[in-house]
Amino acid sequence: MRLYNVHTLEETDMKLNKHFRGFETEIVSLEDALDRVISNDIYSSIPVPTFNRSTVDGYALISSETDGASETMPMLFRYDGEVEMGKSVSNDVNESNTIYVPTGGMVPEGADSMVMIEYTEKMADNIAVMKQSLPFDNIIKVGDDVKEGQLILKSGKMLSARHIGVLAATGHFDVEVYKKLSVSIISTGDELITTDKKLVDGEVFDINTYTIKNMSKKFGLTVDGTHVLKDDKQLIKDTIADCLRESDIVVISGGSSVGHKDYTADIIDELSEVDEGVIVHGLAIKPGKPTIIGKVKDKLVLGLPGHPVSAMIVYEQIMRMYLDDINDLKQVKVEGILSKNVHASPGKETFVMVTVKDGVVTPVLGKSGMITLMSSADGYIRIKANDEGLEKGNRVTVYLLD
Amino acid sequence: MRLYNVHTLEETDMKLNKHFRGFETEIVSLEDALDRVISNDIYSSIPVPTFNRSTVDGYALISSETDGASETMPMLFRYDGEVEMGKSVSNDVNESNTIYVPTGGMVPEGADSMVMIEYTEKMADNIAVMKQSLPFDNIIKVGDDVKEGQLILKSGKMLSARHIGVLAATGHFDVEVYKKLSVSIISTGDELITTDKKLVDGEVFDINTYTIKNMSKKFGLTVDGTHVLKDDKQLIKDTIADCLRESDIVVISGGSSVGHKDYTADIIDELSEVDEGVIVHGLAIKPGKPTIIGKVKDKLVLGLPGHPVSAMIVYEQIMRMYLDDINDLKQVKVEGILSKNVHASPGKETFVMVTVKDGVVTPVLGKSGMITLMSSADGYIRIKANDEGLEKGNRVTVYLLD
């Protein structure tokens, strides 16, 4: 009979860091970069803008030539053509001429200032300027926005729409990111059937393949497949071995305890190579004690509790730690005031499902394994292992669920 | 020459509600349900559990038969077999017998209580029970978790992993959701080139197809295609007409102002049918004034400002309103203290990009159109149209960006 080898989440994090390192990277096109995580710092390959850009519709000129210009004393400049958007002009601006430039257009060589069209008047071949202009008025200079070689995104950043926009603006059309890891998901239990079948007495619909699969997608993993299996050791072992050939991570829910039908730990040890096998068996959290972290052929094999709520809590905690280096998983937290006393389990970090409304945090009541805990909660609170519980009126942090 | 027909966001919301209604639904498998939004209330088709379920490994019996049982005074019950997981048994429990049931197993007919194995001892053909048991100890009764016909998810809920788990548990393997809307994205400007080309003087890389495309994905839209076009009215018109054949929404950035090269409003009016055309031209927000909302062949045609930051702000505001009925877009907000005075534009709601660190909110400085506003901000604050600005020390709400 196996015994638990219980670890706290902090100890588990250290074990994960020690046993699993060196994630691979790949180059992807900007087209496919959404939600990917960059694996190194990115610098601008060009200055932005690449030319002195006008921020107004108006006339490019040398500012010192407008000294003293006013409505009553306009200064005349020879009109010398116009700049088209996206083009440069061959003629330069000098002391006596001016060139029209639209908003966003390139300010011609020689000019150091733009006068808004509102302060000018066209008179035959000349432009009358009725306002004094200062150097770089209405111009964004080369590199004003981003300097060539400037750091634009730090390694580890998960790319959202605006980051991809900035990459496009600075001349990147592909980007190095961490490879997506793939996962296979197995749910075990003689009582489990898939939702396409009809329930008979004693059976329950499998939940964990659905929850773990969709959580995996949110964590940026590729899901290779899901399997619902009876508690048959050889079948489970063969399936895990198959999954290990295909996927980077294999997750098995159920069979993670230390009873006579709990095969996961033995299978991990049997399939693993030297210096591998079960690393952690048992987490000092509630719910979630029957958890297994194993290493087989350099891959993560994770045994989750069978209870759907426990499985979700454990999976989230472990994947946040495991993917920490290669993923920027957001965790939205809110603060609130507890409306009831909450008991904790001494020696274990306790996770309690709660609702939050108008700053009031209320525990969701229900027996272990109830699915309503899952659907009616807004999030969970965490009670440290050395706390005996929390009291009504305590200020608590709620980790919001999707 | 066109004139603006300026609306506030609230007025725009009313216009959107008036002109666009009746979104379609479809049935999808649970496999494809992640992030989809359900279009009606969902009720459980079964009770959960469907049988009296044991929450422990132990013995099923009639609780009243254990009255007075203790370690010193055990009560004997005839051992009458065991329940296997996922199965029922043909024999019932009566006054004198007991049946073993594992955690999660079905409690046999006749029994009303489970005694944990820790409080029993096997003695030949009998089980000695050393603890008094109460009715429904260690049992989750039929429907305790979810009653048959109980409301489990309300219309409008966006399905995350746990909701899909609950649907699976309650016997749903498909679900009615709002159809995904599709969008085509057009970016216009003579100065724009795509990132696969080499920049020459006066040109800039197009940003808006990237930002609008990836924002669209986050909004749950299907992106049919992106187009970067020169300011050629016929070309833009033909492309919009093509996109309208394929997509539910067409978004055009640039050309939304009232200048001589701003074609979007005219094209919308030319393509539209009776009682359609430009509905809003100009938003009372800054940045974002040059915005067009049009209706063509019952579809939304949206003209965004060309400036990338303005385009993103406007697109987010309008899509949150437009998709309100069929999408549950989360908006994460945090509170903080402003570190500097911020000026606003009278008569316009002003959006200011900010960073947030340790509760301190600092405006990101930069001229209009700078991409660094986009990459370095954590979110934005909104200053109401009738406020002249905000002062250092004011408490503000920050709308966080992805």
Side-chain angles (χ1 to χ4, degrees), chain A residues 31 34-35 50-51 85-86 106 139 145 160 162 164 166 168-169 171 173 191 195 199 201-203 205 207 210 213-215 218 312 367 370-372 374-375 377 402, chain B residues 31 34-35 50-51 85-86 106 139 145 160-162 164 166 168-169 171 173 191 195 199 201-203 205 207 210 213-215 218 312 367 370-372 374-375 377 402:
Chain A
E31 301 294 329
L34 185 65
D35 290 340
T50 49
F51 52 87
M85 287 298 283
M106 178 177 175
I139 290 177
D145 194 349
S160 67
R162 63 199 176 107
I164 294 172
V166 169
F173 56 93
E191 75 281 20
T195 47
L199 273 187
D201 262 352
E203 293 179 340
F205 288 122
I207 300 180
Y210 286 100
K213 180 172 89 168
N214 288 302
M215 290 177 76
K218 286 288 184 183
M312 290 186 76
K367 296 181 192 169
M370 280 197 176
I371 60 161
T372 39
M374 204 148 90
S375 58
D402 253 347
Chain B
E31 301 293 329
L34 185 66
D35 290 341
T50 49
F51 52 87
M85 288 297 284
M106 178 178 176
I139 290 178
D145 194 348
S160 68
R162 64 202 175 103
I164 294 171
V166 170
F173 56 91
E191 74 281 22
T195 47
L199 273 186
D201 262 351
E203 294 179 338
F205 288 123
I207 300 180
Y210 286 100
K213 180 172 89 167
N214 288 301
M215 289 176 77
K218 286 290 184 181
M312 291 186 77
K367 294 180 194 169
M370 280 197 173
I371 61 159
T372 39
M374 202 148 90
S375 58
D402 253 348

Coordinates of all heavy atoms in Angstrom, one line a residue, chain A residues 31 34-35 50-51 85-86 106 139 145 160 162 164 166 168-169 171 173 191 195 199 201-203 205 207 210 213-215 218 312 367 370-372 374-375 377 402, chain B residues 31 34-35 50-51 85-86 106 139 145 160-162 164 166 168-169 171 173 191 195 199 201-203 205 207 210 213-215 218 312 367 370-372 374-375 377 402:
Chain A
E31 N 0.2 37.0 -37.8 CA -1.2 36.6 -38.0 C -1.6 35.6 -36.9 O -2.8 35.5 -36.6 CB -1.3 35.9 -39.4 CG -0.9 36.7 -40.6 CD -1.9 37.9 -40.8 OE1 -3.1 37.7 -40.4 OE2 -1.4 38.9 -41.2
L34 N -1.7 36.0 -31.6 CA -2.6 36.4 -30.5 C -2.5 35.4 -29.3 O -2.5 34.2 -29.5 CB -4.1 36.4 -30.9 CG -5.1 36.9 -29.9 CD1 -4.8 38.4 -29.5 CD2 -6.5 36.8 -30.4
D35 N -2.3 35.9 -28.1 CA -2.3 35.1 -26.9 C -1.0 34.2 -26.8 O -0.9 33.4 -25.9 CB -3.5 34.2 -26.7 CG -4.8 35.1 -26.4 OD1 -4.6 36.2 -25.9 OD2 -5.9 34.5 -26.6
T50 N 9.3 56.9 -39.2 CA 10.6 56.8 -40.0 C 10.9 58.1 -40.7 O 11.9 58.2 -41.3 CB 10.5 55.6 -41.1 OG1 9.3 55.8 -41.8 CG2 10.5 54.3 -40.4
F51 N 9.9 59.0 -40.6 CA 10.1 60.3 -41.2 C 9.5 61.4 -40.3 O 8.7 61.0 -39.5 CB 9.5 60.4 -42.6 CG 8.1 59.9 -42.7 CD1 7.0 60.8 -42.4 CD2 7.7 58.6 -42.9 CE1 5.7 60.4 -42.4 CE2 6.4 58.2 -42.9 CZ 5.4 59.1 -42.7
M85 N 0.1 61.7 -49.5 CA 0.3 60.7 -48.4 C 1.1 59.5 -48.9 O 0.8 59.0 -50.0 CB -1.1 60.2 -48.0 CG -1.9 61.2 -47.1 SD -1.1 61.6 -45.6 CE -1.5 60.1 -44.6
G86 N 2.0 59.0 -48.1 CA 2.8 57.9 -48.5 C 3.9 58.1 -49.4 O 4.5 57.2 -49.9
M106 N 4.6 63.2 -44.9 CA 6.0 63.4 -44.6 C 6.4 64.9 -44.8 O 6.2 65.5 -45.9 CB 6.9 62.6 -45.6 CG 8.3 62.7 -45.4 SD 9.2 61.6 -46.5 CE 10.9 62.1 -46.2
I139 N 4.8 68.6 -35.5 CA 5.6 67.5 -36.2 C 5.9 66.4 -35.2 O 6.3 66.8 -34.0 CB 6.9 68.1 -36.8 CG1 6.6 69.0 -38.0 CG2 7.8 67.0 -37.2 CD1 7.8 69.7 -38.6
D145 N 8.3 58.6 -31.4 CA 7.4 57.6 -30.8 C 8.2 56.4 -30.3 O 8.1 56.1 -29.1 CB 6.4 57.2 -31.9 CG 5.2 56.5 -31.4 OD1 5.2 56.1 -30.2 OD2 4.2 56.3 -32.1
S160 N -1.5 40.6 -26.8 CA -2.9 40.9 -27.1 C -2.9 41.8 -28.3 O -1.9 42.1 -28.9 CB -3.5 41.6 -25.9 OG -2.9 42.9 -25.7
R162 N -3.2 44.9 -29.0 CA -2.4 46.1 -29.1 C -0.9 45.8 -29.2 O -0.2 46.5 -29.8 CB -2.7 47.0 -27.9 CG -2.4 46.5 -26.5 CD -3.1 47.2 -25.4 NE -2.8 46.6 -24.2 CZ -2.0 47.1 -23.2 NH1 -1.5 48.2 -23.4 NH2 -1.8 46.4 -22.1
I164 N 0.3 43.2 -30.7 CA 0.6 42.8 -32.1 C 0.6 44.1 -33.0 O 1.3 44.2 -33.9 CB -0.5 41.8 -32.5 CG1 -0.3 40.5 -31.7 CG2 -0.4 41.5 -34.0 CD1 -1.4 39.5 -31.8
V166 N 1.7 47.0 -32.1 CA 2.9 47.7 -31.9 C 4.0 46.9 -32.7 O 4.9 47.5 -33.3 CB 3.3 47.8 -30.4 CG1 4.7 48.2 -30.2 CG2 2.3 48.7 -29.8
A168 N 3.6 45.2 -35.4 CA 3.4 45.6 -36.9 C 4.0 46.9 -37.1 O 4.7 47.1 -38.1 CB 1.9 45.5 -37.2
A169 N 3.7 47.9 -36.3 CA 4.2 49.3 -36.5 C 5.7 49.4 -36.5 O 6.3 50.2 -37.1 CB 3.6 50.2 -35.3
G171 N 7.8 47.1 -37.6 CA 8.5 46.3 -38.6 C 8.7 44.9 -38.4 O 9.5 44.2 -39.0
F173 N 7.2 41.1 -38.7 CA 6.1 40.4 -39.2 C 6.1 38.9 -38.7 O 5.3 38.1 -39.0 CB 5.9 40.5 -40.7 CG 7.1 40.1 -41.5 CD1 7.2 38.9 -42.0 CD2 8.0 41.1 -41.8 CE1 8.3 38.5 -42.8 CE2 9.1 40.8 -42.6 CZ 9.3 39.5 -43.0
E191 N -17.8 4.2 -12.6 CA -19.1 4.8 -12.6 C -19.3 5.8 -13.8 O -20.5 6.3 -14.0 CB -19.4 5.5 -11.3 CG -18.7 6.8 -11.0 CD -17.3 6.7 -10.6 OE1 -16.6 5.7 -10.9 OE2 -16.7 7.7 -10.1
T195 N -21.5 11.7 -22.1 CA -22.8 12.4 -22.2 C -23.6 11.9 -23.3 O -24.8 12.2 -23.4 CB -22.6 13.9 -22.3 OG1 -21.7 14.2 -23.2 CG2 -22.3 14.5 -20.9
L199 N -28.0 7.2 -18.9 CA -27.6 6.8 -17.6 C -28.4 5.6 -17.1 O -29.6 5.6 -17.2 CB -27.9 8.0 -16.6 CG -27.0 9.1 -16.3 CD1 -27.5 10.0 -15.2 CD2 -25.6 8.6 -15.9
D201 N -28.7 3.2 -13.3 CA -28.5 3.3 -11.9 C -27.0 3.2 -11.5 O -26.4 2.2 -11.8 CB -29.3 2.3 -11.0 CG -30.6 3.0 -10.6 OD1 -30.8 4.2 -10.7 OD2 -31.5 2.2 -10.0
G202 N -26.5 4.1 -10.7 CA -25.2 4.0 -10.2 C -24.2 4.8 -11.1 O -23.1 5.1 -10.6
E203 N -24.5 5.1 -12.3 CA -23.6 5.8 -13.2 C -23.7 7.3 -13.1 O -24.8 7.8 -12.7 CB -23.9 5.4 -14.7 CG -23.6 3.9 -15.0 CD -24.0 3.5 -16.4 OE1 -24.8 4.3 -17.0 OE2 -23.4 2.5 -16.9
F205 N -22.5 11.0 -15.3 CA -21.9 11.5 -16.5 C -20.5 12.0 -16.1 O -20.3 12.7 -15.1 CB -22.7 12.7 -17.1 CG -24.0 12.2 -17.8 CD1 -25.2 12.7 -17.3 CD2 -23.9 11.3 -18.8 CE1 -26.4 12.3 -18.0 CE2 -25.1 10.9 -19.5 CZ -26.3 11.4 -19.0
I207 N -17.6 14.5 -16.0 CA -17.5 16.0 -16.0 C -16.1 16.4 -16.3 O -15.8 17.4 -17.1 CB -17.9 16.6 -14.7 CG1 -19.3 16.2 -14.3 CG2 -17.7 18.1 -14.7 CD1 -19.8 16.7 -13.0
Y210 N -14.5 17.4 -19.7 CA -15.0 18.7 -20.2 C -14.3 19.9 -19.5 O -13.9 20.8 -20.1 CB -16.5 18.8 -20.0 CG -17.3 18.0 -20.9 CD1 -17.8 16.7 -20.6 CD2 -17.5 18.4 -22.2 CE1 -18.5 16.0 -21.5 CE2 -18.2 17.6 -23.2 CZ -18.7 16.4 -22.8 OH -19.3 15.7 -23.7
K213 N -10.4 19.9 -20.2 CA -10.2 20.2 -21.6 C -10.3 21.8 -21.8 O -9.4 22.4 -22.4 CB -11.1 19.5 -22.5 CG -10.9 19.8 -24.0 CD -11.7 19.0 -24.9 CE -13.0 19.6 -25.2 NZ -13.7 18.9 -26.3
N214 N -11.4 22.3 -21.3 CA -11.6 23.7 -21.5 C -10.7 24.6 -20.7 O -10.3 25.7 -21.2 CB -13.1 24.0 -21.4 CG -13.9 23.5 -22.5 OD1 -13.7 23.8 -23.7 ND2 -14.8 22.6 -22.2
M215 N -10.4 24.2 -19.5 CA -9.4 24.9 -18.7 C -8.0 24.9 -19.5 O -7.3 25.9 -19.6 CB -9.2 24.3 -17.4 CG -10.4 24.5 -16.4 SD -10.1 23.7 -14.8 CE -9.0 24.9 -14.0
K218 N -7.9 27.5 -22.1 CA -7.7 28.8 -21.5 C -6.2 29.0 -21.1 O -5.7 30.1 -21.1 CB -8.6 29.0 -20.3 CG -10.0 29.2 -20.7 CD -10.2 30.6 -21.3 CE -11.7 30.9 -21.6 NZ -11.8 32.2 -22.3
M312 N -10.7 20.8 -10.6 CA -10.5 22.1 -11.2 C -9.5 23.0 -10.3 O -8.7 23.7 -10.8 CB -11.8 22.8 -11.3 CG -12.7 22.2 -12.3 SD -14.3 23.2 -12.6 CE -13.6 24.5 -13.5
K367 N -22.1 20.0 0.0 CA -21.2 18.9 0.3 C -20.1 18.7 -0.7 O -20.3 19.1 -1.9 CB -22.0 17.6 0.5 CG -23.0 17.6 1.6 CD -23.8 16.3 1.8 CE -25.0 16.5 2.7 NZ -25.9 15.4 2.7
M370 N -20.2 18.3 -4.9 CA -21.4 18.8 -5.5 C -21.1 19.7 -6.7 O -20.2 20.6 -6.6 CB -22.2 19.6 -4.5 CG -23.1 18.8 -3.6 SD -24.3 19.8 -2.8 CE -25.2 18.6 -1.9
I371 N -21.7 19.6 -7.8 CA -21.4 20.4 -9.0 C -22.0 21.8 -8.8 O -21.5 22.7 -9.5 CB -22.0 19.8 -10.3 CG1 -23.5 19.6 -10.2 CG2 -21.3 18.5 -10.6 CD1 -24.1 19.5 -11.6
T372 N -23.0 22.0 -8.0 CA -23.5 23.3 -7.8 C -22.5 24.3 -7.2 O -22.5 25.5 -7.4 CB -24.8 23.3 -6.9 OG1 -24.6 22.4 -5.9 CG2 -26.0 22.9 -7.8
M374 N -19.7 24.5 -8.2 CA -18.9 24.9 -9.4 C -19.7 26.0 -10.2 O -19.1 26.9 -10.6 CB -18.8 23.7 -10.3 CG -17.6 23.7 -11.2 SD -17.0 22.0 -11.4 CE -18.0 21.4 -12.8
S375 N -21.0 25.8 -10.3 CA -21.7 26.7 -11.2 C -22.2 28.0 -10.5 O -22.3 29.0 -11.1 CB -23.0 26.0 -11.7 OG -23.8 25.5 -10.7
A377 N -20.6 29.6 -7.9 CA -19.6 30.4 -7.3 C -19.1 31.5 -8.3 O -19.2 31.3 -9.5 CB -18.4 29.5 -6.9
D402 N -13.5 32.3 -14.2 CA -14.0 32.7 -15.5 C -15.5 32.7 -15.5 O -16.1 31.8 -15.0 CB -13.5 31.6 -16.5 CG -12.4 32.1 -17.4 OD1 -12.1 33.3 -17.3 OD2 -11.8 31.2 -18.0
Chain B
E31 N -18.7 20.0 -27.0 CA -17.3 20.0 -27.4 C -16.9 21.4 -27.9 O -15.7 21.8 -27.8 CB -17.0 19.0 -28.5 CG -17.4 17.6 -28.2 CD -16.4 17.0 -27.1 OE1 -15.2 17.5 -27.1 OE2 -16.9 16.2 -26.3
L34 N -17.1 26.2 -25.6 CA -16.3 27.2 -24.8 C -16.5 28.6 -25.3 O -16.3 28.9 -26.5 CB -14.8 26.8 -24.8 CG -13.9 27.6 -23.9 CD1 -14.3 27.4 -22.4 CD2 -12.4 27.3 -24.1
D35 N -16.7 29.5 -24.4 CA -16.8 31.0 -24.7 C -18.0 31.3 -25.6 O -18.1 32.5 -26.0 CB -15.5 31.5 -25.4 CG -14.4 31.5 -24.4 OD1 -14.6 31.5 -23.2 OD2 -13.2 31.6 -24.9
T50 N -28.4 11.1 -9.6 CA -29.7 10.4 -10.0 C -30.0 9.2 -9.0 O -31.0 8.5 -9.2 CB -29.5 9.8 -11.4 OG1 -28.2 9.1 -11.4 CG2 -29.5 10.9 -12.5
F51 N -29.1 9.0 -8.1 CA -29.3 7.9 -7.1 C -28.8 8.4 -5.8 O -28.0 9.4 -5.8 CB -28.6 6.6 -7.5 CG -27.1 6.8 -7.8 CD1 -26.2 6.8 -6.8 CD2 -26.7 7.1 -9.1 CE1 -24.8 7.0 -7.1 CE2 -25.4 7.3 -9.4 CZ -24.4 7.3 -8.4
M85 N -18.8 0.2 -8.2 CA -19.0 1.6 -8.7 C -19.7 1.5 -10.1 O -19.4 0.7 -10.9 CB -17.6 2.3 -8.9 CG -17.0 2.7 -7.7 SD -17.9 3.9 -6.8 CE -17.5 5.4 -7.7
G86 N -20.7 2.4 -10.2 CA -21.4 2.4 -11.5 C -22.4 1.4 -11.7 O -23.0 1.2 -12.8
M106 N -23.7 3.7 -5.3 CA -25.1 3.9 -5.1 C -25.5 3.2 -3.9 O -25.3 2.0 -3.7 CB -25.8 3.2 -6.3 CG -27.3 3.3 -6.2 SD -28.1 2.6 -7.7 CE -29.8 2.6 -7.2
I139 N -24.6 10.6 3.0 CA -25.3 10.3 1.7 C -25.7 11.6 1.1 O -26.1 12.5 1.7 CB -26.6 9.5 2.0 CG1 -26.2 8.0 2.4 CG2 -27.5 9.4 0.7 CD1 -27.4 7.2 2.7
D145 N -28.0 17.8 -5.1 CA -27.1 18.7 -5.7 C -27.9 19.6 -6.7 O -27.9 20.8 -6.6 CB -26.0 17.9 -6.4 CG -24.9 18.7 -6.8 OD1 -25.0 20.0 -6.8 OD2 -23.8 18.2 -7.2
S160 N -17.8 29.0 -19.6 CA -16.5 28.7 -19.3 C -16.4 27.3 -19.0 O -17.4 26.5 -19.0 CB -15.9 29.6 -18.2 OG -16.6 29.3 -17.0
A161 N -15.2 26.8 -18.7 CA -14.9 25.4 -18.4 C -15.9 24.8 -17.4 O -16.5 23.8 -17.6 CB -13.5 25.2 -17.9
R162 N -16.1 25.5 -16.3 CA -17.0 25.0 -15.2 C -18.4 24.9 -15.6 O -19.2 24.0 -15.2 CB -16.8 25.7 -13.9 CG -17.2 27.2 -14.0 CD -16.6 28.0 -12.9 NE -16.9 29.4 -13.0 CZ -17.8 30.0 -12.3 NH1 -18.4 29.4 -11.3 NH2 -18.0 31.3 -12.5
I164 N -19.5 24.4 -18.6 CA -19.6 23.2 -19.5 C -19.6 21.9 -18.7 O -20.4 21.0 -19.0 CB -18.5 23.3 -20.6 CG1 -18.7 24.5 -21.5 CG2 -18.5 22.0 -21.4 CD1 -17.6 24.8 -22.4
V166 N -20.9 21.6 -15.7 CA -22.2 21.5 -15.1 C -23.2 21.0 -16.2 O -24.1 20.2 -15.9 CB -22.6 22.9 -14.5 CG1 -24.1 22.8 -14.1 CG2 -21.8 23.2 -13.3
A168 N -22.6 19.1 -18.7 CA -22.3 17.6 -18.9 C -22.9 16.9 -17.7 O -23.6 15.8 -17.9 CB -20.8 17.4 -19.0
A169 N -22.7 17.4 -16.5 CA -23.2 16.7 -15.3 C -24.8 16.5 -15.3 O -25.3 15.6 -14.8 CB -22.8 17.4 -14.1
G171 N -26.7 16.2 -18.0 CA -27.2 15.5 -19.1 C -27.4 16.3 -20.4 O -28.2 15.8 -21.3
F173 N -25.8 17.4 -23.9 CA -24.6 17.2 -24.7 C -24.6 18.2 -25.9 O -23.7 18.2 -26.7 CB -24.3 15.8 -25.1 CG -25.4 15.1 -25.8 CD1 -25.5 15.1 -27.2 CD2 -26.4 14.4 -25.1 CE1 -26.5 14.5 -27.9 CE2 -27.4 13.8 -25.8 CZ -27.5 13.8 -27.1
E191 N -0.8 56.0 -47.4 CA 0.5 55.9 -46.8 C 0.7 54.5 -46.2 O 1.8 54.1 -45.8 CB 0.7 56.9 -45.6 CG -0.1 56.6 -44.4 CD -1.6 57.0 -44.4 OE1 -2.1 57.1 -45.5 OE2 -2.2 57.1 -43.3
T195 N 3.1 44.7 -43.6 CA 4.4 44.4 -42.9 C 5.3 43.6 -43.7 O 6.5 43.4 -43.3 CB 4.2 43.8 -41.5 OG1 3.2 42.7 -41.6 CG2 3.6 44.8 -40.5
L199 N 9.5 49.5 -46.2 CA 9.1 50.9 -46.1 C 9.9 51.8 -47.0 O 11.1 51.7 -47.1 CB 9.3 51.4 -44.7 CG 8.3 51.2 -43.6 CD1 8.8 52.0 -42.3 CD2 6.9 51.7 -44.0
D201 N 10.2 56.3 -47.9 CA 9.8 57.5 -47.3 C 8.4 57.9 -47.4 O 7.8 57.9 -48.5 CB 10.7 58.6 -47.9 CG 11.9 58.9 -47.0 OD1 12.0 58.4 -45.9 OD2 12.8 59.7 -47.4
G202 N 7.8 58.2 -46.3 CA 6.4 58.7 -46.3 C 5.4 57.6 -45.9 O 4.3 57.8 -45.6
E203 N 5.8 56.3 -46.1 CA 4.9 55.2 -45.8 C 5.0 54.7 -44.4 O 6.0 54.9 -43.7 CB 5.4 54.0 -46.7 CG 5.2 54.2 -48.2 CD 5.6 53.0 -49.0 OE1 6.4 52.2 -48.5 OE2 5.1 52.9 -50.1
F205 N 3.7 51.3 -41.8 CA 3.1 49.9 -41.7 C 1.7 50.0 -41.2 O 1.4 50.8 -40.3 CB 3.9 49.0 -40.8 CG 5.2 48.6 -41.4 CD1 6.4 48.8 -40.7 CD2 5.3 47.9 -42.6 CE1 7.7 48.4 -41.2 CE2 6.5 47.5 -43.1 CZ 7.7 47.8 -42.4
I207 N -1.3 49.2 -39.1 CA -1.5 48.6 -37.7 C -2.9 48.1 -37.5 O -3.1 47.1 -36.9 CB -1.2 49.7 -36.7 CG1 0.3 50.2 -36.8 CG2 -1.4 49.1 -35.3 CD1 0.6 51.3 -35.8
Y210 N -4.3 44.6 -37.9 CA -3.8 43.7 -36.8 C -4.6 43.9 -35.5 O -5.0 43.0 -34.9 CB -2.3 43.9 -36.5 CG -1.4 43.3 -37.6 CD1 -0.9 44.1 -38.6 CD2 -1.2 41.9 -37.7 CE1 -0.1 43.6 -39.6 CE2 -0.4 41.4 -38.7 CZ 0.1 42.2 -39.6 OH 0.9 41.7 -40.6
K213 N -8.4 43.1 -36.0 CA -8.6 41.6 -36.2 C -8.5 40.9 -34.9 O -9.4 40.1 -34.5 CB -7.6 41.0 -37.2 CG -7.7 39.5 -37.4 CD -6.8 39.0 -38.5 CE -5.5 38.6 -37.9 NZ -4.7 37.8 -38.9
N214 N -7.5 41.2 -34.1 CA -7.3 40.4 -32.8 C -8.3 40.9 -31.8 O -8.7 40.0 -30.9 CB -5.9 40.5 -32.4 CG -5.0 39.7 -33.3 OD1 -5.1 38.5 -33.4 ND2 -4.0 40.4 -34.0
M215 N -8.7 42.1 -31.8 CA -9.8 42.5 -30.9 C -11.1 41.8 -31.2 O -11.8 41.3 -30.4 CB -10.0 44.0 -30.9 CG -8.9 44.8 -30.3 SD -9.2 46.6 -30.6 CE -10.5 46.9 -29.3
K218 N -11.2 38.4 -29.8 CA -11.5 38.5 -28.4 C -13.0 38.7 -28.1 O -13.5 38.3 -27.1 CB -10.6 39.6 -27.7 CG -9.2 39.2 -27.5 CD -9.0 38.1 -26.5 CE -7.6 37.8 -26.2 NZ -7.4 36.7 -25.2
M312 N -8.8 51.7 -31.8 CA -9.0 50.7 -30.7 C -10.1 51.1 -29.7 O -10.9 50.3 -29.3 CB -7.7 50.3 -30.0 CG -6.7 49.6 -30.9 SD -5.2 49.1 -30.0 CE -5.9 47.7 -29.1
K367 N 1.9 62.3 -28.0 CA 1.1 63.0 -29.0 C 0.1 62.0 -29.6 O 0.3 60.8 -29.6 CB 1.9 63.6 -30.0 CG 2.8 64.7 -29.5 CD 3.7 65.4 -30.6 CE 4.8 66.2 -30.0 NZ 5.8 66.6 -31.0
M370 N 0.5 58.3 -31.4 CA 1.7 57.5 -31.1 C 1.4 56.1 -30.6 O 0.5 55.9 -29.8 CB 2.4 58.2 -29.9 CG 3.2 59.4 -30.3 SD 4.3 59.9 -29.0 CE 5.3 61.1 -29.8
I371 N 2.1 55.2 -31.2 CA 1.8 53.8 -30.8 C 2.3 53.4 -29.4 O 1.8 52.5 -28.8 CB 2.5 52.8 -31.8 CG1 4.0 52.9 -31.8 CG2 1.9 53.0 -33.2 CD1 4.7 51.7 -32.4
T372 N 3.2 54.2 -28.9 CA 3.7 53.9 -27.5 C 2.6 54.1 -26.5 O 2.6 53.5 -25.5 CB 4.9 54.8 -27.2 OG1 4.7 56.1 -27.7 CG2 6.2 54.2 -27.8
M374 N -0.2 53.0 -26.8 CA -0.9 51.7 -26.9 C -0.1 50.6 -26.1 O -0.7 49.8 -25.5 CB -0.9 51.3 -28.4 CG -2.0 50.4 -28.8 SD -2.5 50.8 -30.5 CE -1.3 49.7 -31.4
S375 N 1.2 50.6 -26.3 CA 2.0 49.5 -25.7 C 2.3 49.7 -24.2 O 2.4 48.8 -23.5 CB 3.3 49.3 -26.5 OG 4.0 50.4 -26.5
A377 N 0.5 51.5 -21.9 CA -0.6 51.7 -21.0 C -1.1 50.3 -20.4 O -0.9 49.3 -21.0 CB -1.8 52.3 -21.7
D402 N -6.3 44.4 -22.1 CA -5.7 43.0 -22.2 C -4.2 43.0 -22.1 O -3.6 43.8 -22.7 CB -6.1 42.4 -23.6 CG -7.2 41.4 -23.5 OD1 -7.5 41.0 -22.4 OD2 -7.7 41.0 -24.6

